[in-house]
Amino acid sequence: MSYQPTIAARAELLVLQGSPFCNVDCAYCYLPNRRDRRRMPMATVSGAVRWLVESGLADDGFTVVWHAGEPLVLSRDWYDEAFAHVAKAAPGLAVRHAMQTNATLLDAPWARFLRERDVSVGVSLDGPAHIHDAARRTRAGGGTHAAAMEGVAHLREAGVPFHAIAVVGAPALADPDGFIAFFEVLGATELGINIEETEGVHASSSLTDVHARALRAFLDRLIAHAAVHGRPRLREARRLLALLRSDAFGPALRTQENVAFRIVTVDVDGGLHTYSPELAGAAVPGWDGLPLGHIAQDDLPAILASARFRRLASAVERGVDACRDVCAYFPLCGGGAPSNKVSETGRFDATETQHCVRSVQILSEIVLTRLERDLATEPARERAMRR
Amino acid sequence: MSRSRIVAPLRRLVAALLGAAALGSDAAAAPQPQSDASRPVIERVEAIRNALRARDAESRADADAAATERHAQWFNWPNWNNFWNNWPNWGNWPNW
C-alpha cells in the first residue's frame, strides 16, 4: 500500500535557528549542538523566507519563531537587521515574530525591544527555584531561576505580555502546591505544560512508570485549581475545549507536527526540515537529523519528489493511520508527534508512546472528567476554565 | 435585579417542566454528560460536545439579553463577554 503524504496548504510556523547556542544547559534539552556559537547569516534569513514565499507556503499571518537555541544570545541589532530582511523577503505579508526564551539574558532594553517590535514572547520556567533549578542549570552547575525571574520582572515592568512553558518532571510532581502557587501569580497570559519527554539527545526522562500515579494526581490538582480559580490559564485545557467545540474534531484531525510543511524549520546552515522542529539536527536511532534539502538548492517540488522525503512522509503517514485505527484518543490527539515516536521507538510509524500516555491520554482523561462533572453540576466552572 | 437574571432561570425551569421540545430549545434538551471512565472515550466526548453546544447557545442567549439590558442602562458599556472570548489565541504556538 502506498501512502500519500499530507502536505500543508500553508506553513503556520517558520522556525529559524538564529544560533544553536544556549547559555543554559538544561538536563532535559533535546538540542545536540547547544555549544555551537555560529549565527545565521543574513543571506540565510532572507533565503529562508524567500523559499517559503516561492513555495507558495507563506500566507498572511505566518509566524517566524526564533528558536532551536536561546534567541537572546544574539544582539538586538542583529534582530533589527534580520526583521528587515524578513519583511523585505515577504512583501505585503504581515509576519509575526515570536521567541521562546529562558529569560536569563532579558534586561530592560530587551523588554523595550520586544514591546516595540510586538514580538510574541514565551518564557521557559519550571516553577519556583527548587523545582526550576533542579534541571535548568548553567554549565557550571548553578541555578538559573533568579536570573530568569529578573527577566520576567523586566517584561512585567515594560508591559510585555508573555506566556510560560513549564517542563513537568519529578521535581514538580514532588511539590504540586508550590508549582501551582508560583504560576498563579506569575502574570503569564497562559501556562503550557510539557510533561518531560525522552527526545533527541535527552535519552531518558526523570519520569518513570513509578511516577504515573503522581503525575495523574499532579495534573488533577492543577486542572482543578485552574478550573475553580481561573488561574493559571492552561494551554492544554484551552486547546481541548477549543477542539471539543471545533468542527475539526473527528477522524480527520491532524497535529501541527505530523502534516508536512505546516512547520518549516531552517537550521543555521540553511538546511530545511519539517514535521516536529526537534527533528532538525537530532540524531536518534531511526533518524539522522540531516536536512531534507537546502534553501539555496532545493525547491519544494524537488524535496517532495526526493526519495528521502517520501520515505519519511510515508512512515509518518503510516504512523498516523495506525494511531487512527487503534487509539481511542485519536479524535483528541490527531496522531501524535513524529519526534516523540522516533525518539522513543526508533520508528516514525509507531503508535502509542510514553508521551501520548502522559501528555494526551492522562491529561485528556482529567480534563474530560472535570468537564463531565462541571457541566452536570456547576456551569460557572467551565466558564472559569475557558478563561 | 436585571431582566436576564430573572428570565434565563425561569426559561430553564419552564423548559425542564414542560420538556424542551415544547419550547424548541436544544439547550434544555441536551443530556448532561455522566462521569464514567469505563465508557468509550468517543461516547464521553460526544456527550461533552453536545453539552458544551447547549451551554454555549444558552450563554449566548443570556449574554445577548444581558448586553441588551446593559446597553439600555449604560450606553457603550463594554461587552465583557466578548472581551473574554477574544483573549489572544496562542493556538499556533508549537508544543515543544
Side-chain angles (χ1 to χ4, degrees), chain A residues 13 30 67 98 100 120 163 165 189 194 233 235 239 244-246 249 256-257 278 365 368-369 372 375 379 382-383 386-387, chain B residues 32-37 39 41-42 44-46 48-49 51-52 55-56 59 84-85 87 89-96:
Chain A
L13 294 176
Y30 61 86
H67 196 51
Q100 181 68 30
S120 295
H163 70 266
I165 293 182
T189 53
N194 284 0
R233 284 166 176 270
R235 175 186 65 183
R239 278 184 178 172
L244 290 168
R245 288 187 163 96
S246 162
F249 175 85
Q256 205 174 34
E257 290 184 48
E278 296 92 329
E365 272 302 325
L368 292 181
T369 304
E372 285 168 336
L375 285 167
E382 191 272 329
R383 285 177 195 150
R386 188 170 46 184
R387 287 203 285 269
Chain B
Q32 295 299 331
Q34 300 299 310
S35 182
D36 178 1
R39 290 167 64 211
V41 173
I42 192 68
R44 296 173 61 200
V45 166
E46 286 300 351
I48 290 171
R49 274 165 61 80
L52 281 173
R55 172 68 47 76
D56 290 348
S59 296
W84 286 119
N85 288 338
W87 195 260
N89 180 9
W90 294 99
N92 281 340
W93 198 263
N95 183 21
W96 82 90

Side-chain angles (χ1 to χ4, degrees), chain A residues 50-346:
Chain A
R50 234 182 357 259
W51 187 91
L52 205 72
V53 171
E54 287 169 2
S55 300
L57 290 167
D59 203 348
D60 214 21
F62 80 89
T63 300
V64 173
V65 183
W66 299 92
H67 196 51
E70 167 53 39
L72 301 197
V73 301
L74 297 165
S75 70
R76 291 183 291 280
D77 286 346
W78 188 90
Y79 279 109
D80 265 338
E81 199 181 344
F83 288 4
H85 279 270
V86 170
K88 199 172 170 190
L93 296 180
V95 181
R96 188 163 179 79
H97 291 275
M99 293 183 186
Q100 181 68 30
T101 174
N102 60 42
T104 58
L105 303 171
L106 213 162
D107 55 12
W110 262 118
R112 274 198 305 277
F113 176 93
L114 296 168
R115 187 188 60 209
E116 286 162 7
R117 275 90 179 152
D118 197 20
V119 176
S120 295
V121 181
V123 177
S124 302
L125 271 174
D126 288 355
H130 65 281
I131 297 175
H132 181 96
D133 287 344
R136 302 190 65 83
R137 305 178 78 87
T138 64
R139 291 201 169 80
T144 60
H145 189 263
M149 290 308 289
E150 269 184 47
V152 167
H154 287 299
L155 289 176
R156 293 177 66 157
E157 204 170 311
V160 179
F162 65 97
H163 70 266
I165 293 182
V167 174
V168 170
L173 300 192
D175 183 14
D177 290 339
F179 181 93
I180 292 167
F182 176 82
F183 284 108
E184 186 169 16
V185 299
L186 180 70
T189 53
E190 186 167 84
L191 171 64
I193 299 294
N194 284 0
I195 315 291
E196 192 180 325
E197 302 166 4
T198 303
E199 199 163 55
V201 295
H202 178 47
S204 67
S205 166
S206 74
L207 299 179
T208 65
D209 292 342
V210 179
H211 292 104
R213 186 182 297 221
L215 178 63
R216 199 178 289 270
F218 174 91
L219 293 172
D220 205 15
R221 205 130 142 202
L222 174 63
I223 287 164
H225 188 93
V228 172
H229 300 280
R231 274 189 300 181
R233 284 166 176 270
L234 290 179
R235 175 186 65 183
E236 284 66 27
R238 176 188 53 73
R239 278 184 178 172
L240 195 50
L241 272 166
L243 178 62
L244 290 168
R245 288 187 163 96
S246 162
D247 293 337
F249 175 85
L253 183 71
R254 299 290 289 258
T255 71
Q256 205 174 34
E257 290 184 48
N258 66 33
V259 174
F261 297 102
R262 206 178 251 185
I263 300 175
V264 176
T265 301
V266 177
D267 63 35
V268 70
D269 298 317
L272 278 158
H273 310 256
T274 188
Y275 298 115
S276 313
E278 296 92 329
L279 293 176
V284 293
W287 185 242
D288 55 19
L290 298 173
L292 294 164
H294 192 278
I295 52 163
Q297 293 148 17
D298 305 291
D299 60 13
L300 182 60
I303 291 177
L304 295 180
S306 69
R308 181 171 163 76
F309 172 76
R310 286 165 62 180
R311 255 198 322 275
L312 171 65
S314 174
V316 168
E317 219 53 52
R318 283 199 307 276
V320 174
D321 280 357
C323 284
R324 189 183 292 109
D325 287 344
V326 301
C327 185
Y329 293 87
F330 185 88
L332 300 173
C333 164
S339 61
N340 293 109
K341 290 186 179 186
V342 77
S343 291
E344 287 193 34
T345 71

Side-chain angles (χ1 to χ4, degrees), chain B residues 8-29:
Chain B
L10 269 180
R11 199 174 54 208
R12 282 195 291 274
L13 178 64
V14 172
L17 289 173
L18 299 181
L23 294 178
S25 162
D26 291 339

